[in-house]
Amino acid sequence: MSNLTDLTLAEGRDKLAKGEFTAVELTQAHIQAIEAKRNLNAFIVETPELALEEAKASDLRRRAGTNGAMDGLAIGIKDLFCTKGVQTTAASHILEGFKPPYESTVSGKLKAAGAISLGKLNLDEFAMGSSNQTSYFGAVENPWKRKSDPTAKLVPGGSSGGSAAAVAARMVMAATGTDTGGSIRQPAAFCGITGIKPTYGRCSRFGVVAFASSLDQAGPMARTVRDCAIMLGSMAGFDPNDSTSVNMAVPDFEAALTGDIRGLKIGIPKEYRPVGLSEEVAKVWEQGVEWLKAAGATPVEISLPHTKYALPTYYIIAPAECSSNLARYDGLRFGLRVPGKSLDEMYAKTRAAGFGAEVRRRILIGTYVLSAGYYDAYYAKAQKVRRLIADDFAKAFETVDVILTPTAPSAAFGQGEGSDDPVTMWLNDVFTIPTSMAGLPGLSLPAGLSSDGLPLGLQLIGRPFDEETVFKVAGVMETAANFTARPEGI
Amino acid sequence: MSLDKATVRNIANLARIEVRDEELDHLAGELSNIITFVEQLSEVNTDGVEPMTSVAAMTLPMRKDVVTDGGRHDAVMANAPEAEDGFFTVPKVVE
């Protein structure tokens, strides 16, 4: 029997079906892997007892023939999804101890499909960050190491850093992530795994702690394209509890992996070569174009002229929405409460103690750009530029079927590096934010290693609700890239 | 544009986040950098562009105005940091 923690979701599913092992055995193997890798700090809460109970129930379902699409498969849940009775913190002090009385739609759907959660995964506080260093519960360590300096601790990316690290370190087979400006794709790239932010509206946001509601979207993070397709199938779908979730049928994403991309047009945006783009990243990108050409697709140079404005637009819209969403943390109904002599003093003291520096910064910026006299100059302006960014994509998709770009401008960086200036840190998301602004599906997959031995990711962007073409092209690229490297010791 | 200490104090008050006086200088500098960064949007011509409020070209669905859930008093109160007799408590607001 091969090592159970090495299995993909697809392999695990098929072997469970053949009875090669039980869900309890598969769960136990992952519980041991989690215990062995606690140094990465990928989990905020581990739930091994709960997982074993569910695994037993899964084995019974299988015997009864009532098993679901992901029955018995070991996953982790980003600690931004409310899980009934299990602490949900968004990695913030202000929610420490919060046990939701209800389940998020997405985690509930995964549960209904039979997936077994091993616990809640670490993230940047309220999903605000690109390095998982803003978590109140401590930074997450990337399992990958630089060849030149194996002692340096690297960031896993963010905000879904715990999810990415846990999947890369074989602690779970797959994990949920959420993506507002790149929070699935950039950590997937930094940790050498695959992740997709589906089209805005594909997955319900109900029960996902809100950051920027017009951008937030849940998606799967796993080790293969097929696994992402399998898992997205169990996460997606209309939910009357989220009025922005779209009422359309969920396709069989796995069936899209035909391997045939002949005749497809691949857009290569000329604006995605900013100053400071690592040469190695540029090389992997060119390699990606060659792979797709060899498989019968045609690269087409396209222009997305408003690309450079995506980041400043995002840093008006996301903080504005964050300042509104986070107004609910008032010390009254749930979470942290710091006493004060008046109601206002209690609010101010609670929120000062409960929010970390990055979250506070974004709330203040959001409050400023929404305040009287500045709303039109900043927020309304940003909404107009956002439309221009979305129009760029719409125009490009008149001629191409999918767009290929790097996922991030560099490989994973070290903990503590480049975190002094918030704007520099934000540049990590320069290739992922435009897609988010337009609400389009974006997938990142590992395409190669840097000379220092770190994974580099490529991003495929699709038309709205055309995840199938994204998966199809990603499947071909995955075969060509044949990325088999692993973190040292895993 | 740069934000002065008074502006930062004002927005912190609007956001109901207590900020210590000795933090104001540093915060004003940081926030000013961010505002300067986002101000590059002013060079984009947006005349006649409709603000984009939603990525999906959809009309929000309507539903019947009826009670769909409820009767969960205990669940709603379960996470209250301070509660009394089934009510959330607040500091005295009326003298």
Side-chain angles (χ1 to χ4, degrees):
Chain A
M1 192 159 67
S2 61
N3 194 347
L4 293 180
T5 56
D6 274 344
L7 298 173
T8 62
L9 290 177
E11 290 164 349
R13 173 187 65 185
D14 298 346
K15 286 173 189 284
L16 279 165
K18 284 190 206 146
E20 289 186 24
F21 45 79
T22 64
V24 168
E25 287 167 334
L26 187 62
T27 303
Q28 270 163 342
H30 285 93
I31 290 172
Q32 281 166 14
I34 290 169
E35 284 170 357
K37 289 285 167 200
R38 285 212 178 108
N39 59 310
L40 299 180
N41 200 29
F43 280 82
I44 293 177
V45 174
E46 296 172 13
T47 54
E49 292 90 4
L50 220 56
L52 281 172
E53 263 175 51
E54 285 176 17
K56 278 180 207 153
S58 168
D59 285 330
L60 289 177
R61 278 194 298 273
R62 192 169 297 279
R63 243 169 277 156
T66 58
N67 46 300
M70 289 184 66
D71 228 301
L73 301 175
I75 64 164
I77 303 285
K78 184 179 184 180
D79 200 21
L80 202 65
F81 293 82
C82 285
T83 42
K84 191 174 180 180
V86 176
Q87 178 182 265
T88 301
T89 65
S92 180
H93 183 35
I94 211 158
L95 273 174
E96 197 172 4
F98 173 62
K99 288 190 176 166
Y102 69 108
E103 185 82 21
S104 81
T105 299
V106 162
S107 58
K109 282 172 89 87
L110 286 166
K111 221 176 191 175
I116 289 162
S117 166
L118 289 159
K120 304 300 291 289
L121 292 158
N122 207 340
L123 65 149
D124 278 300
E125 186 181 2
F126 282 106
M128 297 176 200
S130 309
S131 66
N132 216 124
Q133 295 179 101
T134 71
S135 167
Y136 176 73
F137 300 94
V140 174
E141 197 182 318
N142 191 327
W144 290 84
K145 301 284 179 200
R146 287 183 185 130
K147 273 198 301 204
S148 62
D149 179 10
T151 57
K153 291 183 178 180
L154 305 182
V155 304
S159 68
S160 310
S163 301
V167 172
R170 270 81 179 158
M171 300 159 90
V172 290
M173 303 169 89
T176 64
T178 64
D179 191 313
T180 303
S183 280
I184 287 176
R185 294 161 282 162
Q186 183 256 18
F190 276 18
C191 291
I193 65 163
T194 302
I196 180 170
K197 179 199 91 73
T199 313
Y200 182 85
R202 183 61 95 178
C203 292
S204 167
R205 292 179 295 108
F206 179 73
V208 181
V209 176
F211 159 18
S213 303
S214 77
L215 297 158
D216 297 345
Q217 188 58 205
M221 302 173 79
R223 290 192 291 266
T224 67
V225 173
R226 181 175 299 274
D227 283 5
C228 284
I230 292 170
M231 188 161 164
L232 181 59
S234 290
M235 296 169 72
F238 174 64
D239 176 12
N241 283 329
D242 174 6
S243 60
T244 62
S245 80
V246 171
N247 197 352
M248 59 194 289
V250 178
D252 180 350
F253 296 117
E254 206 183 349
L257 300 172
T258 59
D260 183 6
I261 60 163
R262 283 173 299 172
L264 286 186
K265 292 204 168 65
I266 314 290
I268 313 296
K270 61 177 186 192
E271 288 83 4
Y272 279 51
R273 295 185 183 278
V275 187
L277 177 67
S278 125
E279 257 179 55
E280 293 183 315
V281 171
K283 234 171 97 184
V284 164
W285 189 17
E286 282 156 28
Q287 177 67 70
V289 176
E290 291 308 315
W291 286 329
L292 297 181
K293 243 160 83 177
T298 312
V300 179
E301 188 185 73
I302 56 166
S303 174
L304 302 168
H306 295 91
T307 297
K308 70 175 272 211
Y309 300 110
L311 211 54
T313 304
Y314 179 85
Y315 278 101
I316 292 173
I317 290 175
E321 295 185 13
C322 128
S323 73
S324 308
N325 271 325
L326 272 59
R328 76 192 63 181
Y329 301 100
D330 56 9
L332 281 180
R333 295 155 299 153
F334 44 78
L336 180 74
R337 172 171 181 144
V338 177
K341 289 193 285 293
S342 65
L343 188 60
D344 274 337
E345 194 184 291
M346 186 200 78
Y347 290 153
K349 283 187 182 298
T350 297
R351 291 162 63 80
F355 293 134
E358 179 68 17
V359 173
R360 178 176 74 170
R361 189 152 50 226
R362 296 202 196 186
I363 292 176
L364 293 178
I365 285 290
T367 306
Y368 180 70
V369 299
L370 289 176
S371 62
Y374 296 105
Y375 181 92
D376 284 332
Y378 295 110
Y379 190 63
K381 179 80 182 179
Q383 285 185 314
K384 289 177 187 174
V385 181
R386 183 175 183 182
R387 181 170 303 279
L388 296 175
I389 293 163
D391 287 350
D392 284 353
F393 280 106
K395 198 162 161 252
F397 280 121
E398 286 171 11
T399 50
V400 301
D401 299 292
V402 70
I403 295 171
L404 177 70
T405 77
T407 307
S410 70
F413 49 91
Q415 286 182 1
E417 288 171 17
S419 51
D420 304 341
D421 173 28
V423 176
T424 309
M425 182 60 94
W426 296 349
L427 290 174
N428 271 293
D429 298 325
V430 67
F431 297 139
T432 48
I433 277 179
T435 324
S436 298
M437 301 305 296
L440 303 172
L443 178 146
S444 176
L445 79 164
L449 289 177
S450 73
S451 56
D452 216 356
L454 298 177
L456 299 169
L458 288 178
Q459 175 179 229
L460 287 161
I461 304 164
R463 295 190 179 96
F465 298 104
D466 189 15
E467 287 86 358
E468 287 164 282
T469 302
V470 173
F471 279 129
K472 187 188 304 206
V473 178
V476 168
M477 198 141 170
E478 181 180 56
T479 307
N482 190 25
F483 185 86
T484 52
R486 292 166 172 238
E488 188 67 33
I490 286 165
Chain B
M1 194 167 110
S2 80
L3 278 65
D4 57 19
K5 287 207 289 188
T7 309
V8 175
R9 191 182 288 118
N10 181 42
I11 56 175
N13 181 44
L14 288 173
R16 298 293 185 271
I17 299 179
E18 188 179 79
V19 173
R20 294 193 313 275
D21 280 346
E22 60 267 31
E23 291 178 287
L24 285 174
D25 266 330
H26 177 69
L27 264 178
E30 232 172 40
L31 299 182
S32 298
N33 282 345
I34 294 169
I35 291 298
T36 307
F37 173 70
V38 301
E39 273 176 348
Q40 55 179 298
L41 292 190
S42 60
E43 67 195 53
V44 186
N45 181 357
T46 53
D47 292 348
V49 178
E50 228 4 72
M52 183 169 173
T53 51
S54 164
V55 293
M58 60 185 275
T59 352
L60 286 181
M62 304 288 272
R63 66 164 175 85
K64 288 221 165 64
D65 186 16
V66 291
V67 177
T68 56
D69 202 351
R72 298 172 188 265
H73 187 268
D74 290 346
V76 170
M77 299 299 298
N79 281 289
E82 278 181 41
E84 233 176 85
D85 303 326
F87 291 93
F88 297 112
T89 64
V90 293
K92 194 152 93 177
V93 286
V94 181
E95 288 302 323

